[in-house]
DNA sequence: TCTGGGGTCCTAGGACCC
DNA sequence: TCTGGGGTCCTAGGACCC
């Protein structure tokens, strides 16, 4: 049996963990630049506030005191996520972190009659240790675990734990699950299925496999099997990420190439830092820039350019230089850029780098020095800081230039601490 | 005025091979 | 008038997840 532990309204719960006065109130957490709602408390959901609602539409509610808005504070959420995961993995073996706020684990070795008690206790300990409320769904497949988790959250009677351990329970649960709530059926698939007469997860499982295959592809068949209790979603993810992306929307639109170069340098620098922190190196550096897609009155442009390195690298200098070459190729005057990003691909282990056959002595020496400089930067810079940086990068904190009008204090990280030089 | 960010996997079609 | 068949690999774009 699989168990899925999922934090309730995670970002909101993180804010509440340090601001108990938010308990019981309608709260939303906003995306970067206070753009739109990315997390909602149950009270906010009950008010009909949808995921992704732009903040300017919520502002009246905030001003009249009916709703509290928080700017997002990802450092805080990452920190609390780590603590939650630590408690979970300290209790049960074989935990698989699936996202910032959820993890799968196996219940092998636990007697079925003890599932509930073990999980209720786990929830209590996470709550006591972090302040974060968690729900757990238990079922023979991950997709059914998601379904069970849904019920655990929805009905207080379950006290946070819902078990699907018989066919009766499975069929009952599926009949109560709308098809668009099913994990793996997205915003394109759901309307398509509903038009074909599939309203619930149960309807879906009653279609023949070939019917599903021809309309929803192999991923649809996987979901179809999982809902019947046949595991079809692979157990483990790879330990090394296949791509790394750093991108931001800008508070203001950027028309100036020099300004865009600064921002892209920052993004590339963060990517390089992430690469090194995972002891990885990469062969491909891509850059994209977007105009503001909501401004019909302005010309639109969505370029993407890739640069291949001749040997995998992870130094800030190499990654930033490659990104800037791509930017120079894609940049066009006359557009107002609202968002840009750097994407790293073809990632390999840094200690297994395949060297070039005909690399010159000078090239090798340059790479060695760049790696050395990056190592020093990593020693001096704390996460999120670029105290020591390239001249092509902006001074200051990475969050500069992002609007965060409703940011909570940095409860688990201190500003001065970020600026303190190690050693 | 104001609309997020970071990932994975699948597929169809093209390039290339013999 | 006539122009093979069977593969693999790569890539861009789409769909999905949180």
């Amino acid at each position: 049996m699989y168990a899925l532990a999922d934090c309730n309204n995670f970002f909101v719960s993180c804010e509440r963990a340090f601001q108990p006065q938010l308990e019981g109130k309608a709260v939303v957490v906003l995306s970067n630049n206070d753009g739109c709602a990315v997390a909602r408390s149950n009270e906010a959901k009950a008010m009909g506030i949808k995921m992704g609602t732009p903040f300017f539409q919520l502002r009246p509610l905030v001003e009249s005191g009916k709703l509290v808005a928080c700017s997002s504070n990802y450092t805080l959420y990452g920190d609390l996520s780590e603590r939650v995961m630590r408690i979970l993995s300290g209790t049960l073996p074989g935990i698989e972190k699936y996202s910032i706020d959820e993890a799968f684990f196996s219940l092998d070795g636990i007697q079925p009659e003890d599932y509930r008690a073990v999980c209720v206790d786990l929830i209590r300990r996470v709550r006591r240790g972090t302040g974060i409320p968690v729900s757990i769904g238990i079922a023979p497949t991950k997709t059914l675990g998601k379904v069970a988790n849904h019920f655990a959250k929805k009905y207080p009677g379950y006290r946070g734990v819902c078990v699907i351990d018989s066919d009766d329970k499975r069929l009952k649960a599926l009949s109560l699950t709308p098809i668009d709530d099913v994990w793996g059926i997205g915003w394109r698939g759901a309307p398509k299925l509903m038009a074909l007469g599939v309203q619930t997860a149960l309807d879906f499982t009653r279609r023949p496999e070939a019917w599903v295959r021809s309309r929803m592809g192999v991923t649809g068949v996987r979901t179809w099997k999982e809902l019947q209790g046949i595991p079809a979603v692979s157990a483990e993810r790879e330990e090394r990420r296949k791509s790394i992306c750093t991108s931001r929307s800008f508070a203001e639109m950027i028309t100036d190439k020099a300004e865009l170069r600064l921002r892209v340098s920052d993004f590339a620098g963060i990517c390089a830092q992430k690469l090194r922190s995972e002891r990885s190196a990469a062969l491909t550096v891509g850059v994209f820039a977007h105009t503001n897609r909501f401004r019909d009155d302005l010309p639109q442009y969505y370029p993407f350019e890739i640069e291949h390195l001749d040997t995998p690298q992870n130094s800030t200098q190499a990654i930033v230089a490659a990104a800037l070459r791509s930017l120079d190729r894609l940049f066009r005057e006359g557009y107002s850029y609202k968002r840009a990003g750097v994407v790293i691909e073809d990632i390999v282990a840094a200690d297994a780098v395949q060297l070039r056959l005909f690399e010159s002595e000078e090239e090798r020496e340059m790479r060695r020095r760049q790696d050395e400089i990056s190592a020093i930067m990593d020693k001096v810079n704390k996460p999120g800081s670029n105290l020591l940086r390239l001249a092509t990068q902006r001074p200051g904190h990475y969050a500069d230039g992002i609007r965060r009008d409703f940011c909570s204090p940095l409860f688990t990280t201190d500003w001065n601490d970020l600026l303190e030089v190690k050693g």
Side-chain angles (χ1 to χ4, degrees), chain A residues 81-146:
Chain A
S81 171
E82 230 172 83
R83 297 184 196 187
V84 170
M85 297 297 166
R86 208 153 44 220
I87 294 174
L88 294 178
S89 59
T91 310
L92 293 157
I95 188 161
E96 180 199 341
K97 180 174 173 168
Y98 176 72
S99 74
I100 191 164
D101 73 331
E102 57 191 307
F104 289 101
F105 49 88
S106 137
L107 291 171
D108 291 351
I110 297 169
Q111 295 300 315
E113 58 269 27
D114 295 335
Y115 289 167
R116 271 202 73 84
V118 167
C119 290
V120 167
D121 179 59
L122 192 53
I123 289 171
R124 195 177 47 79
R125 280 193 291 130
V126 171
R127 185 63 182 254
R128 204 170 49 195
T130 65
I132 303 293
V134 173
S135 302
I136 298 180
I138 298 169
T141 66
K142 290 184 172 178
T143 307
L144 285 171
K146 281 272 184 184

Side-chain angles (χ1 to χ4, degrees), chain A residues 94-322:
Chain A
I95 188 161
E96 180 199 341
K97 180 174 173 168
Y98 176 72
S99 74
I100 191 164
D101 73 331
E102 57 191 307
F104 289 101
F105 49 88
S106 137
L107 291 171
D108 291 351
I110 297 169
Q111 295 300 315
E113 58 269 27
D114 295 335
Y115 289 167
R116 271 202 73 84
V118 167
C119 290
V120 167
D121 179 59
L122 192 53
I123 289 171
R124 195 177 47 79
R125 280 193 291 130
V126 171
R127 185 63 182 254
R128 204 170 49 195
T130 65
I132 303 293
V134 173
S135 302
I136 298 180
I138 298 169
T141 66
K142 290 184 172 178
T143 307
L144 285 171
K146 281 272 184 184
V147 172
N149 194 284
H150 235 83
F151 283 89
K153 281 205 173 71
K154 197 165 170 189
Y155 300 104
Y158 285 117
R159 289 194 301 142
V161 182
C162 173
V163 187
I164 297 180
D165 56 358
S166 73
D167 228 38
D168 283 349
K169 288 186 197 166
R170 181 178 69 85
L171 295 172
K172 181 80 194 294
L174 293 186
S175 73
L176 292 171
T177 302
I179 189 64
D180 54 337
D181 278 357
V182 174
W183 193 46
I185 306 292
W187 65 284
R188 303 206 66 121
K192 190 164 138 190
L193 286 170
M194 290 198 284
L196 292 163
V198 173
Q199 303 299 320
T200 67
L202 186 63
D203 296 340
F204 185 61
T205 59
R206 290 190 165 153
R207 300 293 166 129
E209 178 169 345
W211 186 94
V212 175
R213 168 76 237 229
S214 67
R215 287 162 184 81
M216 308 296 291
V218 298
T219 49
V221 172
R222 277 210 276 269
T223 301
W224 180 81
K225 283 186 178 164
E226 287 251 322
L227 288 174
Q228 319 200 32
I230 306 163
V233 171
S234 70
E236 285 293 327
R237 311 181 144 214
E238 317 223 354
E239 73 296 350
R240 194 174 300 279
R241 281 192 282 184
K242 293 176 176 168
S243 69
I244 290 175
C245 171
T246 304
S247 73
R248 297 282 182 279
S249 292
F250 309 128
E252 289 91 24
M253 290 188 280
I254 292 177
T255 52
D256 179 35
K257 185 172 181 186
E259 180 65 24
L260 201 54
R261 282 176 65 93
L262 287 176
R263 307 302 186 107
V264 166
S265 296
D266 286 348
F267 301 154
I270 295 169
C271 283
Q273 220 173 298
K274 289 181 188 170
L275 268 177
R276 295 195 296 271
S277 75
E278 302 180 359
R279 302 190 175 286
S280 297
L283 264 173
T284 300
V285 180
V287 172
F288 66 83
H290 286 355
T291 48
N292 188 338
R293 68 181 199 275
F294 297 102
R295 290 290 298 268
D296 305 331
D297 54 324
L298 295 177
Q300 298 290 312
Y301 182 43
Y302 294 70
F304 180 59
E305 281 286 335
I306 275 184
E307 176 99 5
H308 293 285
L309 305 173
D310 44 24
T311 177
Q313 298 190 70
N314 63 18
S315 73
T316 296
Q317 281 161 292
I319 303 295
V320 167

Side-chain angles (χ1 to χ4, degrees), chain A residues 45-56:
Chain A
K45 288 177 187 169
M47 286 166 68
I49 295 169
K50 299 269 179 284
M51 186 76 169
T53 305
F55 177 60
F56 66 86

Side-chain angles (χ1 to χ4, degrees), chain A residues 327-343:
Chain A
L327 179 65
D328 286 342
R329 269 183 277 125
L330 68 77
F331 184 84
R332 299 276 180 279
E333 292 286 351
Y335 293 100
S336 301
Y337 299 92
K338 177 65 178 169
R339 186 171 165 226
V342 173
V343 186

